[in-house]
Each structure stands twice: as structure tokens, then as C-alpha cells.
């Protein structure tokens, strides 16, 4: 049996798995993934509360800055006013540029996370298709064997009733067919899991759609606030900056909140990805009667060291089918020449047996560990590689967004307070008003005259003998 490509935890998983975990009483908690455990839930909530502490620090800094802004006279500052305006404006611009860089990281992280969850759902749907195909083969085979035992073999026994040795062979064939049916009925182990992989896949896809949409809206909101803030700074539109300051404060709270969720999710995912087999085995053993040492371990490991738990039953079924074949061939060779009327029933049983063997070989291929194990490894790679990478990029986006909007909320009030209003910008453009300048200093153009006025003026000047004093 060939071993498919194995999964190995990334170094991001290893680093996050080393993060210390404590409950609300600050007692150490094991780092094994146990979402149903109360202390483990408290540990993740405590990690998420770190972002809440950062939010409180940000709000405190904003309050201190706004109190200083409202209570202190800006004229008391030693720095010249134009230099102060330039510094405040460029600090806002730098914060928005950092926020836009974080938005780019957020779009990439959201896409990577979506791709990882998509690989998980695809693997779950493939596993569900495999199990459904195996279940359909088992049901079809059981139906064929039941029809053969209750119909054709019964009529064949009646047709061969005069010869007791032939009747004994038919009855032995019936017992073996019933034994094969009983073995096949016990093969479908997935019914004990309490749910199908398709249900898990659809539920995961449903949650992922809303998560993806929520992050897209948050990213677009951050981008819109950044662009409108730059527009307000460029055009010196005070009301627009006031609105963007309020929106920045709102997005600041969202950014710190999403950072807390992403931090807890990243640490929890690292715990799962560090030992996924152990979690699956413990969860299955706790919720079902399925023996993980025999079946789940076979599919999770899929190595030569773990024997196939179905091998004994499959071997017994194959031997029973071979024995039935040989017995039917013996009846065809010895009984049919004496009882030609039994040929029709015998041919029907042989056709059922051929179909049963074909279904049996397909079932052996479907129950082999390679197909399901490959889907399991693909799901782990999608969740623990792409999903973890995307989650870390989203965490970085939330951090940059929170820091950028903290700076923006502190700087924008100072920026719009330095702005001059647009009536003022039209009247005071850096040069003195013309209403206060003497007429001689206005440098107005000379008056214009019509041709007739120019002729009269020239004639009058020629008639005068000389200047008057």
C-alpha cells in the first residue's frame, strides 16, 4: 500500500502553539485543542481580551489628546503655526497610507482564508461522495443477495427436491449468501458518526460566506474612510474631516475587536494543527461507539504499520463468494442435465453472484485508506497552511488599521482646527485687500478715449499759445 503525501505542521503553528495559556484564575492550561473544555475556552477568551486592553489604552490616549486639544491654547505652542499645520497634516497622511497598506494585506489574507476553507469543504464533499458510493454499493448488494436467497435459491431448492444431495448444496449456498450479506451490512461504519461530512461542509461554507462578506465590508469601509480623509485634507473641507473622524473612531473599535477574535482563532487553530489526529480520535471516541484504534487510526495514518480493520471480514466474504461460485458450477454440471427446469433459476443466481462480486471489488477499492486519507491531508493543508496564513495577514491588517485610526482620531481635530474657512480663503489669499490700497498704488490702466475725443483734445492743445502758469 502506497503512503500518500503526509502533512507537517508549519513553523507558524509551532510558534503560536508555544503561547502560554491561562484561565481566569491565571492557572496554566494545556495547549491541546479542546474547544469543549471550559478552561480552554477561558484561555482563548483571555487571549482575546488582550486586544480589549489595547483598545482601552488607545481610548485613553485619544481622551488625553482631545483634553489637551480642547483646554490648551494653540498660540502658547513654541512651534510656528505653518509648521504645526504641516506636521499635523502629514501625520494624518502617513496614518492613512499605513492603513491602505494594511487594507492590501487584509484583502490578501481574506482571500487566503477563503481558499483554505474552500479546500476543507471540497475535501469533506469528496469524502462524503466516497462514503455515499460505498453505502449505495452495500445497499444494492444486500438487495441482490436478499432477492437471491428469498427467490431464486428457494425455487431452485424446490426444483431439485427429488435429489437430497443437490438440496443440501443449495441450502449451503443459501447459508453462505446470508453470511456474506451479514458481513456487508456491518461494513458501513460512518453511520455511527452521528452526521455526514456533507452537513459539516455545508455548515462550514455557510459560516465562511458570512465571514468573507463581513471582512470585505470592513475593508471597503476602511478604504472609503482613508480616501475621503485624504480628500478632506487636500481640499481643506472641515465638515468632511469631522465626519471621517467620527467614522474613524467607530472603525477603531471594530479593528481592535477583530484583532481579538483573530488572535484567539489563530492560537486555537495552531493547537488543532499541531495534533489534528489526536483531536479527531478523542472527539470520535467521546461522541460515538466507534473504536478509533481499529478504523479511524487506519484512515488517519494510512501506513503499513496500521492493519486494515476490514481485511478479515473482506477475506471471509471473498472466500464465501468463491465457495458459492464453485458450488453453483457443480450444480450446473451435475444437476441441470437431470433437472432442466432448474436452469433458469440457477442462471439467475449466477448473475446475481457476478454482480455481487463486481460490487464487492468496488467496495474494497472505496474502503481503502488512500482516497479518504488524501482528502484528510488536503483538508489539513488547506486549513493549517492557507487558512493559518490568511488569518495571520488579517491579524496584521487589524493591527495596522487600529494603530492608523488611533493616529487619525488624534490628528484630525488638530488638522481641521488649523484650516481656514472657504470664505476666508477667497478674501485672504496671501496679499492685501484692494479696498485698503490707495488708488495711486493700484496700478490701474489709463483711461480709453474714442477717436472724436482724441481729435478734439489734439486741436485744443494746438490752439493754446503756451502753457499757463
Amino acid at each position: 500500500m502506497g503512503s500518500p503525501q503526509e502533512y507537517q505542521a508549519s513553523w507558524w503553528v509551532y510558534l503560536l502553539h508555544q503561547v502560554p495559556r491561562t484561565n481566569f484564575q491565571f492557572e496554566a492550561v494545556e495547549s491541546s485543542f479542546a474547544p469543549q473544555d471550559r478552561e480552554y475556552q477561558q484561555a482563548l477568551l483571555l487571549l482575546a481580551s488582550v486586544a480589549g486592553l489595547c483598545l482601552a489604552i488607545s481610548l485613553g490616549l485619544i481622551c488625553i489628546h482631545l483634553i489637551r486639544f480642547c483646554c490648551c491654547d494653540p498660540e502658547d505652542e513654541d512651534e510656528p503655526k505653518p509648521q504645526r499645520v504641516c506636521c499635523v497634516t502629514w501625520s494624518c497622511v502617513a496614518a492613512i497610507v499605513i492603513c491602505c497598506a494594511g487594507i492590501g494585506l487584509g484583502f490578501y489574507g481574506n482571500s487566503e482564508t477563503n481558499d483554505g476553507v474552500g479546500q476543507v469543504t471540497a475535501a469533506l464533499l469528496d469524502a462524503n461522495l466516497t462514503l455515499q458510493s460505498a453505502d449505495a454499493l452495500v445497499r444494492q448488494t444486500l438487495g441482490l443477495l436478499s432477492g437471491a436467497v428469498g427467490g431464486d435459491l428457494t425455487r431452485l431448492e424446490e426444483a431439485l427436491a427429488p435429489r437430497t444431495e443437490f438440496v443440501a448444496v443449495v441450502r449451503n449456498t443459501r447459508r453462505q449468501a446470508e453470511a456474506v450479506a451479514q458481513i456487508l451490512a456491518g461494513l458501513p461504519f460512518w453511520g455511527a458518526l452521528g452526521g455526514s461530512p456533507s452537513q459539516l461542509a455545508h455548515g462550514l461554507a455557510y459560516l465562511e460566506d458570512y465571514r468573507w462578506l463581513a471582512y470585505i465590508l470592513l475593508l471597503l469601509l476602511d478604504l472609503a474612510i482613508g480616501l475621503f480623509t485624504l480628500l478632506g485634507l487636500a481640499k481643506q473641507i472641515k465638515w468632511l474631516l469631522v465626519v471621517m473622524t467620527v467614522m474613524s473612531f467607530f472603525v477603531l473599535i471594530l479593528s481592535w475587536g477583530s484583532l481579538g477574535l483573530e488572535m484567539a482563532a489563530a492560537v486555537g487553530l495552531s493547537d488543532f494543527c499541531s495534533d489534528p489526529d489526536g483531536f479527531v480520535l478523542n472527539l470520535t471516541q467521546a461522541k460515538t461507539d466507534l473504536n478509533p484504534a481499529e478504523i479511524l487510526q487506519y484512515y488517519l495514518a494510512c501506513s503499513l504499520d496500521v492493519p486494515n480493520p476490514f481485511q478479515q471480514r473482506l477475506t471471509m466474504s471473498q472466500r464465501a463468494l468463491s465457495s458459492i461460485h464453485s458450488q453453483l458450477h457443480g450444480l450446473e454440471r451435475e444437476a441441470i442435465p437431470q433437472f432442466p427446469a432448474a436452469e433458469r433459476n440457477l442462471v439467475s443466481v449466477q448473475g446475481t453472484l457476478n454482480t455481487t462480486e463486481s460490487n464487492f471489488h468496488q467496495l474494497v477499492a472505496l474502503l481503502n485508506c488512500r482516497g479518504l486519507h488524501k482528502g484528510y491531508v488536503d483538508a489539513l493543508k488547506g486549513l493549517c497552511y492557507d487558512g493559518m496564513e490568511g488569518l495571520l495577514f488579517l491579524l496584521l491588517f487589524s493591527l495596522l488599521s487600529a494603530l492608523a485610526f488611533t493616529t487619525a482620531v488624534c490628528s484630525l481635530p488638530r488638522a481641521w482646527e488649523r484650516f481656514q474657512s472657504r470664505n476666508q480663503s477667497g478674501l485672504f489669499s496671501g496679499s492685501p485687500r484692494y479696498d485698503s490700497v490707495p488708488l495711486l498704488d493700484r496700478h490701474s490702466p489709463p483711461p480709453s478715449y474714442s477717436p472724436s475725443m482724441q481729435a478734439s483734445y489734439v486741436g485744443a492743445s494746438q490752439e493754446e499759445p503756451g502753457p499757463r502758469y
Side-chain angles (χ1 to χ4, degrees), residues 1-6 123 126-127 130-131 134 189-190 292 294-311 314 361-378:
M1 185 192 325
S3 178
Q5 187 176 2
E6 297 296 332
D126 288 342
T130 300
L131 297 180
F189 62 91
W190 45 92
E294 292 185 356
I295 298 179
L296 277 185
Q297 189 64 34
Y298 169 68
Y299 288 106
L300 295 180
C302 193
S303 64
L304 295 176
D305 299 332
V306 181
N308 188 345
F310 306 108
Q311 187 64 43
L314 293 176
H361 290 301
Q362 295 181 41
L363 187 61
V364 170
L366 289 174
L367 292 178
N368 189 275
C369 68
R370 285 176 293 181
L372 291 177
H373 181 69
K374 182 179 181 302
Y376 173 68
V377 173
D378 291 341

Side-chain angles (χ1 to χ4, degrees), residues 165-423:
E165 63 273 16
F166 294 156
V167 172
V169 172
V170 174
R171 289 178 179 176
N172 187 35
T173 301
R174 177 185 296 174
R175 286 193 297 268
Q176 290 180 336
E178 292 175 348
V180 171
Q182 185 177 2
I183 292 175
L184 290 177
L187 287 180
F189 62 91
W190 45 92
L193 297 177
S196 64
S198 63
Q199 294 177 348
L200 181 59
H202 292 314
L204 189 61
Y206 178 80
L207 295 177
E208 172 60 19
D209 290 340
Y210 281 98
R211 187 212 62 81
W212 179 85
L213 180 60
Y215 269 101
I216 287 295
L217 294 178
L218 179 60
L219 290 166
L220 293 178
L221 180 61
D222 286 11
L223 183 60
I225 292 175
L227 294 179
F228 280 112
T229 300
L230 292 178
L231 178 63
L233 291 173
K235 298 295 184 179
Q236 297 188 358
I237 306 174
K238 183 176 180 179
W239 68 266
L240 182 58
L241 290 182
V242 172
V243 174
M244 291 302 105
T245 302
V246 176
M247 295 297 296
S248 298
F249 184 80
F250 173 71
V251 174
L252 169 66
I253 298 176
L254 291 180
S255 298
W256 284 119
S258 64
L259 180 65
L261 293 177
E262 292 151 4
M263 185 179 301
V267 173
L269 184 59
S270 70
D271 294 339
F272 169 78
C273 295
S274 62
D275 185 20
D277 294 355
F279 171 73
V280 174
L281 290 172
N282 294 333
L283 181 65
T284 307
Q285 190 174 15
K287 291 192 173 183
T288 66
D289 297 331
L290 193 64
N291 190 352
E294 292 185 356
I295 298 179
L296 277 185
Q297 189 64 34
Y298 169 68
Y299 288 106
L300 295 180
C302 193
S303 64
L304 295 176
D305 299 332
V306 181
N308 188 345
F310 306 108
Q311 187 64 43
Q312 183 178 2
R313 285 176 283 180
L314 293 176
T315 302
M316 292 174 59
S317 299
Q318 191 170 9
R319 289 176 179 175
L321 292 175
S322 299
S323 176
I324 293 174
H325 255 303
S326 62
Q327 292 176 15
L328 292 179
H329 281 300
L331 289 177
E332 183 181 9
R333 185 178 59 256
E334 297 179 4
I336 295 303
Q338 301 178 28
F339 303 93
E343 183 179 5
R344 182 171 175 271
N345 294 325
L346 183 61
V347 171
S348 178
V349 173
Q350 288 178 338
T352 300
L353 184 62
N354 292 332
T355 305
T356 300
E357 284 188 330
S358 176
N359 291 346
F360 179 80
H361 290 301
Q362 295 181 41
L363 187 61
V364 170
L366 289 174
L367 292 178
N368 189 275
C369 68
R370 285 176 293 181
L372 291 177
H373 181 69
K374 182 179 181 302
Y376 173 68
V377 173
D378 291 341
L380 286 180
K381 289 182 177 180
L383 189 62
C384 299
Y385 291 170
D386 294 340
M388 176 62 77
E389 181 183 359
L391 194 58
L392 292 177
F393 274 104
L394 288 176
L395 191 148
L396 184 59
F397 150 70
S398 297
L399 179 61
L400 293 178
S401 177
L403 295 177
F405 283 115
T406 300
T407 304
V409 171
C410 293
S411 302
L412 286 177
R414 180 76 66 178
W416 83 59
E417 190 269 339
R418 302 297 185 187
F419 289 165
Q420 297 175 345
S421 62
R422 300 181 67 89
N423 290 334

Side-chain angles (χ1 to χ4, degrees), residues 80-107:
K81 182 177 180 179
Q83 189 174 355
R84 291 198 303 267
V85 174
C86 182
C87 181
V88 170
T89 302
W90 280 107
S91 64
C92 294
V93 171
I96 298 304
V97 170
I98 293 175
C99 180
C100 291
I103 291 172
L105 297 177
F107 274 110

Side-chain angles (χ1 to χ4, degrees), residues 150-163 166-167 170-171 174 339 341-342 345:
D152 293 325
L153 285 177
T154 301
R155 289 188 290 271
L156 183 62
E157 182 179 354
E158 294 174 353
L160 301 178
R163 297 290 300 271
F166 294 156
V167 172
V170 174
R171 289 178 179 176
R174 177 185 296 174
F339 303 93
N345 294 325

